[in-house]
Amino acid sequence: MTPAPRRTRLRPTDLLRLGTIGPRTRRTRSALSALGIALGIAAVIAVTGISLSNQAHLLARLDQLGSNLITVGPGKDAEQKPVPLPATAEKMLADIAPVQQVTATGATKAEVYRNDLVPRQQTGSLTVLAARLDLLTVLRGGLASGRWLDRASERLPVTVLGDQAAERLGVTAPGERVWLGGQWYVVSGILAPNELAPELGTAALVGWPQATAHLGADGTAGTVYLRTHPERVPDVQAVAGATANPANASGVAVSRPSDLLTARGEAKDALTGLVLSLAGVALLVGGVGIANTMVVGVMERRGEIGLRRALGARGGQIAAQFLLEAVLMGFVGGIGGLVMGGLTVYGYALAQGWPAAVPLSMVVAGPVVSVLVAALAGIYPALRAAGSSPTDALRSA
């Protein structure tokens, strides 16, 4: 009795060579299919990396400026009219135990212009504020150029301009003059932008005594800035309104500027979610492209499939060959997407001056996800190839 022939077995190296037949013989089609996967992976990595880079930049700025700053200002009454702070607000707030530093700005009746020929109505949306000498210290702000107010200049016609105010007035350097409150003031400095106090960017700041004596300021704080113990910020926020204006606590606006920056970052997360959804669609399209390539490949290679089946190849081996072809295209696409996404993140971060951050999880997950998508896309074509009858395949070849 003739013994039954042994089943053929493919070594992993042989299977790998067979799996590369399709990509090697149909390079353009395979490259385009892999490109679809690569674009999806690149989009995921780029969006995630840029978001993390932006977050790292934001956290670095918050660490530098401090997240323990609280702003207390006028609120609004039932008729939506501003409620000014009482004259005692600044002193009362300074008496709160966890409060470490207090400073303030005050409103004036003056306007600032480039010169005395500018019509009065063309204010450029600029304000003139009285400023305490320790304002920059409490806000941890800086000067783009020039000098801040001191005990001598706070009583003189000297002003420090916010960065936007200097730009709108056409002032480029300290030493120039502006028309402020009906007389000439010398610009001693220009502020650098401050994320926690953006309102100072459009202001001309003068010393408190000068504003009170000549610019119609009543000596009352318009906005009070508090630096508190970092762990006691919520406690101070809770009592700041009632402390500043015991008679009308609801008429006091208490805010934490760093919360606004954090909220802005969280708002960007919604956009990130949208872009990641689009990246998921790109991955799906890439998977469909691979499936389409594999299905067409199975139809074109029916003769090859029939010949291999006639020579003893099992259906599982045929399926493994085509599934491996799909996985290889997915892997190549994943690596390509990883490179494109990484370069995009580092290039964008470099242009913005941010620290580049590409999460390690994405570096690992990118190729893995692309391989899984490609494997799922290749299952049907592989099963179709495995189910082909040798005689039908050879007859149609």
Side-chain angles (χ1 to χ4, degrees):
M1 183 176 180
T2 305
R6 291 185 303 171
R7 286 192 169 189
T8 58
R9 294 182 180 275
L10 285 177
R11 294 176 297 180
T13 54
D14 296 330
L15 183 61
L16 183 61
R17 281 198 298 269
L18 289 172
T20 59
I21 289 177
R24 284 189 288 109
T25 57
R26 295 165 176 80
R27 296 180 180 177
T28 302
R29 186 184 301 167
S30 299
L32 291 176
S33 298
L35 180 62
I37 291 286
L39 291 177
I41 295 297
V44 172
I45 292 176
V47 170
T48 306
I50 289 174
S51 298
L52 288 177
S53 298
N54 185 24
Q55 184 182 42
H57 171 70
L58 178 61
L59 292 177
R61 289 295 297 158
L62 287 179
D63 290 340
Q64 179 182 355
L65 296 173
S67 57
N68 62 333
L69 179 70
I70 295 176
T71 301
V72 179
K76 293 183 178 180
D77 58 17
E79 298 179 356
Q80 297 301 306
K81 294 181 180 180
V83 179
L85 295 176
T88 58
E90 187 177 356
K91 182 179 182 302
M92 295 290 287
L93 290 168
D95 290 337
I96 300 176
V99 172
Q100 299 170 331
Q101 294 176 300
V102 178
T103 191
T105 59
T108 71
K109 298 180 180 180
E111 303 288 352
V112 58
Y113 305 94
R114 185 64 182 94
N115 54 54
D116 56 348
L117 301 178
V118 178
R120 293 183 60 85
Q121 66 273 16
Q122 295 183 10
T123 62
S125 300
L126 303 179
T127 58
V128 178
L129 299 177
R132 298 293 188 190
L133 293 182
D134 59 352
L135 181 65
L136 288 192
T137 302
V138 176
L139 294 180
R140 297 179 187 172
L143 291 165
S145 59
R147 298 171 54 189
W148 177 242
L149 301 169
D150 54 30
R151 292 195 176 278
S153 60
E154 71 171 346
R155 299 179 180 276
L156 300 174
V158 173
T159 181
V160 175
L161 300 179
D163 58 306
Q164 298 177 52
E167 182 180 353
R168 295 178 191 178
L169 292 172
V171 175
T172 57
E176 298 186 38
R177 297 193 306 169
V178 293
W179 188 251
L180 193 157
Q183 62 176 314
W184 291 105
Y185 273 64
V186 175
V187 177
S188 66
I190 298 174
L191 294 178
N194 189 305
E195 286 90 342
L196 296 186
E199 64 275 9
L200 299 184
T202 57
L205 303 169
V206 299
W208 204 278
Q210 176 71 10
T212 304
H214 302 284
L215 301 178
D218 60 6
T220 302
T223 302
V224 182
Y225 301 94
L226 312 176
R227 283 285 180 188
T228 72
H229 190 283
E231 296 179 359
R232 303 292 300 277
V233 170
D235 298 333
V236 175
Q237 281 184 284
V239 301
T243 303
N245 191 349
N248 186 9
S250 61
V252 180
V254 181
S255 64
R256 186 181 178 188
S258 59
D259 289 341
L260 300 179
L261 296 179
T262 304
R264 186 175 63 186
E266 292 175 351
K268 290 184 178 180
D269 289 343
L271 179 61
T272 298
L274 174 61
V275 178
L276 287 178
S277 300
L278 296 177
V281 173
L283 277 175
L284 178 61
V285 172
V288 172
I290 288 180
N292 180 63
T293 298
M294 298 303 301
V295 169
V296 173
V298 168
M299 296 175 61
E300 292 179 345
R301 296 161 64 185
R302 296 193 65 182
E304 172 193 334
I305 295 170
L307 180 59
R308 288 197 58 215
R309 291 297 305 275
L311 293 176
R314 300 193 306 274
Q317 294 173 339
I318 300 295
Q321 173 189 345
F322 281 89
L323 188 60
L324 182 58
E325 289 186 12
V327 167
L328 286 175
M329 283 190 286
F331 180 73
V332 171
I335 296 298
L338 178 61
V339 173
M340 288 191 293
L343 291 176
T344 301
V345 172
Y346 278 91
Y348 189 84
L350 181 64
Q352 296 292 328
W354 298 347
V358 178
L360 180 61
S361 58
M362 286 296 172
V363 174
V364 176
V368 172
V369 171
S370 64
V371 166
L372 291 177
V373 171
L376 291 175
I379 288 177
Y380 171 72
L383 294 177
R384 181 171 178 175
S388 299
S389 169
T391 54
D392 293 340
L394 288 172
R395 186 182 302 113
S396 59

PDB file of all heavy atoms in Angstrom, residues 10 15 18 304-306 308-309 313-324 381-388:
ATOM      1  N   LEU A  10       6.023  25.067   4.875  1.00  0.00           N
ATOM      2  CA  LEU A  10       6.823  26.222   4.463  1.00  0.00           C
ATOM      3  C   LEU A  10       7.598  26.749   5.655  1.00  0.00           C
ATOM      4  O   LEU A  10       7.037  26.979   6.726  1.00  0.00           O
ATOM      5  CB  LEU A  10       5.924  27.336   3.912  1.00  0.00           C
ATOM      6  CG  LEU A  10       5.344  27.143   2.512  1.00  0.00           C
ATOM      7  CD1 LEU A  10       4.432  28.308   2.184  1.00  0.00           C
ATOM      8  CD2 LEU A  10       6.457  27.051   1.475  1.00  0.00           C
ATOM      9  N   LEU A  15       8.154  31.493   3.456  1.00  0.00           N
ATOM     10  CA  LEU A  15       6.904  32.260   3.505  1.00  0.00           C
ATOM     11  C   LEU A  15       7.180  33.741   3.319  1.00  0.00           C
ATOM     12  O   LEU A  15       6.422  34.448   2.642  1.00  0.00           O
ATOM     13  CB  LEU A  15       6.194  32.000   4.837  1.00  0.00           C
ATOM     14  CG  LEU A  15       4.833  32.681   5.023  1.00  0.00           C
ATOM     15  CD1 LEU A  15       3.845  32.213   3.965  1.00  0.00           C
ATOM     16  CD2 LEU A  15       4.288  32.394   6.418  1.00  0.00           C
ATOM     17  N   LEU A  18       7.792  34.424  -0.333  1.00  0.00           N
ATOM     18  CA  LEU A  18       6.533  34.419  -1.070  1.00  0.00           C
ATOM     19  C   LEU A  18       5.708  35.669  -0.780  1.00  0.00           C
ATOM     20  O   LEU A  18       5.039  36.210  -1.669  1.00  0.00           O
ATOM     21  CB  LEU A  18       5.732  33.171  -0.693  1.00  0.00           C
ATOM     22  CG  LEU A  18       6.257  31.831  -1.206  1.00  0.00           C
ATOM     23  CD1 LEU A  18       5.470  30.673  -0.601  1.00  0.00           C
ATOM     24  CD2 LEU A  18       6.191  31.768  -2.732  1.00  0.00           C
ATOM     25  N   GLU A 304      -0.997  31.673 -10.851  1.00  0.00           N
ATOM     26  CA  GLU A 304       0.035  31.347  -9.854  1.00  0.00           C
ATOM     27  C   GLU A 304      -0.563  30.555  -8.702  1.00  0.00           C
ATOM     28  O   GLU A 304       0.023  29.568  -8.230  1.00  0.00           O
ATOM     29  CB  GLU A 304       0.660  32.647  -9.336  1.00  0.00           C
ATOM     30  CG  GLU A 304       1.611  32.461  -8.169  1.00  0.00           C
ATOM     31  CD  GLU A 304       1.956  33.767  -7.485  1.00  0.00           C
ATOM     32  OE1 GLU A 304       1.890  34.818  -8.139  1.00  0.00           O
ATOM     33  OE2 GLU A 304       2.278  33.718  -6.276  1.00  0.00           O
ATOM     34  N   ILE A 305      -1.761  30.998  -8.256  1.00  0.00           N
ATOM     35  CA  ILE A 305      -2.415  30.307  -7.141  1.00  0.00           C
ATOM     36  C   ILE A 305      -2.775  28.877  -7.537  1.00  0.00           C
ATOM     37  O   ILE A 305      -2.537  27.915  -6.789  1.00  0.00           O
ATOM     38  CB  ILE A 305      -3.671  31.075  -6.706  1.00  0.00           C
ATOM     39  CG1 ILE A 305      -3.280  32.445  -6.145  1.00  0.00           C
ATOM     40  CG2 ILE A 305      -4.469  30.295  -5.669  1.00  0.00           C
ATOM     41  CD1 ILE A 305      -4.452  33.371  -5.903  1.00  0.00           C
ATOM     42  N   GLY A 306      -3.342  28.710  -8.749  1.00  0.00           N
ATOM     43  CA  GLY A 306      -3.716  27.376  -9.203  1.00  0.00           C
ATOM     44  C   GLY A 306      -2.513  26.460  -9.341  1.00  0.00           C
ATOM     45  O   GLY A 306      -2.576  25.281  -8.977  1.00  0.00           O
ATOM     46  N   ARG A 308       0.366  26.638  -7.709  1.00  0.00           N
ATOM     47  CA  ARG A 308       0.872  26.289  -6.378  1.00  0.00           C
ATOM     48  C   ARG A 308      -0.041  25.286  -5.701  1.00  0.00           C
ATOM     49  O   ARG A 308       0.425  24.364  -5.019  1.00  0.00           O
ATOM     50  CB  ARG A 308       0.991  27.548  -5.513  1.00  0.00           C
ATOM     51  CG  ARG A 308       2.144  28.451  -5.932  1.00  0.00           C
ATOM     52  CD  ARG A 308       2.488  29.434  -4.845  1.00  0.00           C
ATOM     53  NE  ARG A 308       2.834  28.728  -3.618  1.00  0.00           N
ATOM     54  CZ  ARG A 308       2.540  29.163  -2.402  1.00  0.00           C
ATOM     55  NH1 ARG A 308       1.881  30.289  -2.256  1.00  0.00           N
ATOM     56  NH2 ARG A 308       2.883  28.463  -1.341  1.00  0.00           N
ATOM     57  N   ARG A 309      -1.357  25.417  -5.898  1.00  0.00           N
ATOM     58  CA  ARG A 309      -2.277  24.440  -5.316  1.00  0.00           C
ATOM     59  C   ARG A 309      -2.099  23.075  -5.959  1.00  0.00           C
ATOM     60  O   ARG A 309      -2.138  22.037  -5.277  1.00  0.00           O
ATOM     61  CB  ARG A 309      -3.730  24.918  -5.500  1.00  0.00           C
ATOM     62  CG  ARG A 309      -4.113  26.136  -4.679  1.00  0.00           C
ATOM     63  CD  ARG A 309      -4.029  25.843  -3.188  1.00  0.00           C
ATOM     64  NE  ARG A 309      -4.819  24.689  -2.785  1.00  0.00           N
ATOM     65  CZ  ARG A 309      -6.111  24.737  -2.492  1.00  0.00           C
ATOM     66  NH1 ARG A 309      -6.746  25.907  -2.527  1.00  0.00           N
ATOM     67  NH2 ARG A 309      -6.768  23.654  -2.119  1.00  0.00           N
ATOM     68  N   ALA A 313       0.433  22.966  -2.493  1.00  0.00           N
ATOM     69  CA  ALA A 313       0.294  24.012  -1.473  1.00  0.00           C
ATOM     70  C   ALA A 313      -1.109  23.971  -0.879  1.00  0.00           C
ATOM     71  O   ALA A 313      -2.096  23.830  -1.599  1.00  0.00           O
ATOM     72  CB  ALA A 313       0.575  25.379  -2.071  1.00  0.00           C
ATOM     73  N   ARG A 314      -1.176  24.066   0.414  1.00  0.00           N
ATOM     74  CA  ARG A 314      -2.467  24.048   1.095  1.00  0.00           C
ATOM     75  C   ARG A 314      -3.108  25.436   1.065  1.00  0.00           C
ATOM     76  O   ARG A 314      -2.429  26.451   0.862  1.00  0.00           O
ATOM     77  CB  ARG A 314      -2.314  23.581   2.542  1.00  0.00           C
ATOM     78  CG  ARG A 314      -1.725  22.178   2.664  1.00  0.00           C
ATOM     79  CD  ARG A 314      -1.895  21.642   4.084  1.00  0.00           C
ATOM     80  NE  ARG A 314      -1.355  22.530   5.089  1.00  0.00           N
ATOM     81  CZ  ARG A 314      -0.094  22.528   5.474  1.00  0.00           C
ATOM     82  NH1 ARG A 314       0.772  21.704   4.904  1.00  0.00           N
ATOM     83  NH2 ARG A 314       0.326  23.341   6.433  1.00  0.00           N
ATOM     84  N   GLY A 315      -4.426  25.428   1.301  1.00  0.00           N
ATOM     85  CA  GLY A 315      -5.144  26.696   1.321  1.00  0.00           C
ATOM     86  C   GLY A 315      -4.613  27.639   2.384  1.00  0.00           C
ATOM     87  O   GLY A 315      -4.534  28.853   2.181  1.00  0.00           O
ATOM     88  N   GLY A 316      -4.246  27.098   3.536  1.00  0.00           N
ATOM     89  CA  GLY A 316      -3.719  27.933   4.604  1.00  0.00           C
ATOM     90  C   GLY A 316      -2.416  28.601   4.223  1.00  0.00           C
ATOM     91  O   GLY A 316      -2.152  29.750   4.633  1.00  0.00           O
ATOM     92  N   GLN A 317      -1.595  27.905   3.439  1.00  0.00           N
ATOM     93  CA  GLN A 317      -0.329  28.501   3.008  1.00  0.00           C
ATOM     94  C   GLN A 317      -0.562  29.625   2.012  1.00  0.00           C
ATOM     95  O   GLN A 317       0.110  30.656   2.036  1.00  0.00           O
ATOM     96  CB  GLN A 317       0.555  27.412   2.399  1.00  0.00           C
ATOM     97  CG  GLN A 317       1.007  26.362   3.388  1.00  0.00           C
ATOM     98  CD  GLN A 317       1.736  25.211   2.724  1.00  0.00           C
ATOM     99  OE1 GLN A 317       1.578  24.977   1.520  1.00  0.00           O
ATOM    100  NE2 GLN A 317       2.507  24.469   3.519  1.00  0.00           N
ATOM    101  N   ILE A 318      -1.533  29.424   1.117  1.00  0.00           N
ATOM    102  CA  ILE A 318      -1.886  30.491   0.174  1.00  0.00           C
ATOM    103  C   ILE A 318      -2.416  31.709   0.930  1.00  0.00           C
ATOM    104  O   ILE A 318      -2.041  32.857   0.664  1.00  0.00           O
ATOM    105  CB  ILE A 318      -2.933  30.001  -0.840  1.00  0.00           C
ATOM    106  CG1 ILE A 318      -2.389  28.813  -1.645  1.00  0.00           C
ATOM    107  CG2 ILE A 318      -3.359  31.132  -1.770  1.00  0.00           C
ATOM    108  CD1 ILE A 318      -1.219  29.161  -2.529  1.00  0.00           C
ATOM    109  N   ALA A 319      -3.304  31.447   1.907  1.00  0.00           N
ATOM    110  CA  ALA A 319      -3.859  32.548   2.688  1.00  0.00           C
ATOM    111  C   ALA A 319      -2.760  33.283   3.454  1.00  0.00           C
ATOM    112  O   ALA A 319      -2.748  34.517   3.525  1.00  0.00           O
ATOM    113  CB  ALA A 319      -4.912  32.016   3.656  1.00  0.00           C
ATOM    114  N   ALA A 320      -1.821  32.518   4.024  1.00  0.00           N
ATOM    115  CA  ALA A 320      -0.737  33.138   4.775  1.00  0.00           C
ATOM    116  C   ALA A 320       0.121  34.016   3.879  1.00  0.00           C
ATOM    117  O   ALA A 320       0.580  35.092   4.292  1.00  0.00           O
ATOM    118  CB  ALA A 320       0.119  32.066   5.443  1.00  0.00           C
ATOM    119  N   GLN A 321       0.337  33.576   2.631  1.00  0.00           N
ATOM    120  CA  GLN A 321       1.146  34.372   1.704  1.00  0.00           C
ATOM    121  C   GLN A 321       0.499  35.726   1.439  1.00  0.00           C
ATOM    122  O   GLN A 321       1.156  36.775   1.535  1.00  0.00           O
ATOM    123  CB  GLN A 321       1.318  33.614   0.384  1.00  0.00           C
ATOM    124  CG  GLN A 321       1.998  34.448  -0.698  1.00  0.00           C
ATOM    125  CD  GLN A 321       1.966  33.774  -2.064  1.00  0.00           C
ATOM    126  OE1 GLN A 321       1.691  32.579  -2.170  1.00  0.00           O
ATOM    127  NE2 GLN A 321       2.246  34.542  -3.101  1.00  0.00           N
ATOM    128  N   PHE A 322      -0.786  35.726   1.127  1.00  0.00           N
ATOM    129  CA  PHE A 322      -1.443  36.993   0.783  1.00  0.00           C
ATOM    130  C   PHE A 322      -1.659  37.862   2.028  1.00  0.00           C
ATOM    131  O   PHE A 322      -1.597  39.088   1.949  1.00  0.00           O
ATOM    132  CB  PHE A 322      -2.770  36.710   0.076  1.00  0.00           C
ATOM    133  CG  PHE A 322      -2.594  36.342  -1.372  1.00  0.00           C
ATOM    134  CD1 PHE A 322      -2.398  35.029  -1.754  1.00  0.00           C
ATOM    135  CD2 PHE A 322      -2.592  37.325  -2.354  1.00  0.00           C
ATOM    136  CE1 PHE A 322      -2.223  34.695  -3.083  1.00  0.00           C
ATOM    137  CE2 PHE A 322      -2.419  37.003  -3.686  1.00  0.00           C
ATOM    138  CZ  PHE A 322      -2.221  35.681  -4.064  1.00  0.00           C
ATOM    139  N   LEU A 323      -1.911  37.201   3.156  1.00  0.00           N
ATOM    140  CA  LEU A 323      -2.049  37.987   4.380  1.00  0.00           C
ATOM    141  C   LEU A 323      -0.725  38.646   4.743  1.00  0.00           C
ATOM    142  O   LEU A 323      -0.692  39.796   5.183  1.00  0.00           O
ATOM    143  CB  LEU A 323      -2.515  37.087   5.518  1.00  0.00           C
ATOM    144  CG  LEU A 323      -2.884  37.796   6.831  1.00  0.00           C
ATOM    145  CD1 LEU A 323      -4.017  38.786   6.599  1.00  0.00           C
ATOM    146  CD2 LEU A 323      -3.263  36.777   7.897  1.00  0.00           C
ATOM    147  N   LEU A 324       0.384  37.925   4.518  1.00  0.00           N
ATOM    148  CA  LEU A 324       1.694  38.499   4.799  1.00  0.00           C
ATOM    149  C   LEU A 324       1.991  39.677   3.873  1.00  0.00           C
ATOM    150  O   LEU A 324       2.605  40.668   4.282  1.00  0.00           O
ATOM    151  CB  LEU A 324       2.773  37.424   4.654  1.00  0.00           C
ATOM    152  CG  LEU A 324       4.207  37.861   4.963  1.00  0.00           C
ATOM    153  CD1 LEU A 324       4.320  38.403   6.376  1.00  0.00           C
ATOM    154  CD2 LEU A 324       5.187  36.714   4.753  1.00  0.00           C
ATOM    155  N   PRO A 381      -9.222  39.082   1.048  1.00  0.00           N
ATOM    156  CA  PRO A 381      -8.488  38.617  -0.140  1.00  0.00           C
ATOM    157  C   PRO A 381      -7.709  37.324   0.122  1.00  0.00           C
ATOM    158  O   PRO A 381      -7.625  36.466  -0.769  1.00  0.00           O
ATOM    159  CB  PRO A 381      -7.535  39.783  -0.442  1.00  0.00           C
ATOM    160  CG  PRO A 381      -8.173  40.973   0.186  1.00  0.00           C
ATOM    161  CD  PRO A 381      -8.847  40.451   1.405  1.00  0.00           C
ATOM    162  N   ALA A 382      -7.139  37.173   1.318  1.00  0.00           N
ATOM    163  CA  ALA A 382      -6.384  35.954   1.620  1.00  0.00           C
ATOM    164  C   ALA A 382      -7.300  34.742   1.643  1.00  0.00           C
ATOM    165  O   ALA A 382      -6.960  33.674   1.096  1.00  0.00           O
ATOM    166  CB  ALA A 382      -5.674  36.115   2.958  1.00  0.00           C
ATOM    167  N   LEU A 383      -8.481  34.862   2.258  1.00  0.00           N
ATOM    168  CA  LEU A 383      -9.423  33.747   2.277  1.00  0.00           C
ATOM    169  C   LEU A 383      -9.943  33.432   0.876  1.00  0.00           C
ATOM    170  O   LEU A 383     -10.159  32.257   0.535  1.00  0.00           O
ATOM    171  CB  LEU A 383     -10.590  34.073   3.215  1.00  0.00           C
ATOM    172  CG  LEU A 383     -10.238  34.196   4.709  1.00  0.00           C
ATOM    173  CD1 LEU A 383     -11.470  34.587   5.508  1.00  0.00           C
ATOM    174  CD2 LEU A 383      -9.644  32.892   5.222  1.00  0.00           C
ATOM    175  N   ARG A 384     -10.114  34.451   0.083  1.00  0.00           N
ATOM    176  CA  ARG A 384     -10.561  34.233  -1.288  1.00  0.00           C
ATOM    177  C   ARG A 384      -9.514  33.477  -2.087  1.00  0.00           C
ATOM    178  O   ARG A 384      -9.841  32.574  -2.864  1.00  0.00           O
ATOM    179  CB  ARG A 384     -10.871  35.573  -1.943  1.00  0.00           C
ATOM    180  CG  ARG A 384     -11.369  35.454  -3.374  1.00  0.00           C
ATOM    181  CD  ARG A 384     -11.859  36.779  -3.897  1.00  0.00           C
ATOM    182  NE  ARG A 384     -12.296  36.661  -5.290  1.00  0.00           N
ATOM    183  CZ  ARG A 384     -12.865  37.651  -5.970  1.00  0.00           C
ATOM    184  NH1 ARG A 384     -13.081  38.821  -5.374  1.00  0.00           N
ATOM    185  NH2 ARG A 384     -13.232  37.474  -7.228  1.00  0.00           N
ATOM    186  N   ALA A 385      -8.247  33.846  -1.882  1.00  0.00           N
ATOM    187  CA  ALA A 385      -7.176  33.138  -2.575  1.00  0.00           C
ATOM    188  C   ALA A 385      -7.074  31.699  -2.093  1.00  0.00           C
ATOM    189  O   ALA A 385      -6.874  30.769  -2.887  1.00  0.00           O
ATOM    190  CB  ALA A 385      -5.848  33.859  -2.348  1.00  0.00           C
ATOM    191  N   ALA A 386      -7.243  31.482  -0.770  1.00  0.00           N
ATOM    192  CA  ALA A 386      -7.137  30.135  -0.222  1.00  0.00           C
ATOM    193  C   ALA A 386      -8.267  29.236  -0.702  1.00  0.00           C
ATOM    194  O   ALA A 386      -8.103  28.015  -0.833  1.00  0.00           O
ATOM    195  CB  ALA A 386      -7.134  30.201   1.302  1.00  0.00           C
ATOM    196  N   GLY A 387      -9.431  29.805  -0.987  1.00  0.00           N
ATOM    197  CA  GLY A 387     -10.576  29.007  -1.409  1.00  0.00           C
ATOM    198  C   GLY A 387     -10.629  28.741  -2.900  1.00  0.00           C
ATOM    199  O   GLY A 387     -11.580  28.108  -3.374  1.00  0.00           O
ATOM    200  N   SER A 388      -9.656  29.230  -3.637  1.00  0.00           N
ATOM    201  CA  SER A 388      -9.660  29.023  -5.094  1.00  0.00           C
ATOM    202  C   SER A 388      -9.417  27.552  -5.410  1.00  0.00           C
ATOM    203  O   SER A 388      -8.538  26.903  -4.834  1.00  0.00           O
ATOM    204  CB  SER A 388      -8.580  29.886  -5.755  1.00  0.00           C
ATOM    205  OG  SER A 388      -8.812  31.244  -5.517  1.00  0.00           O
TER     206      SER A 388
END
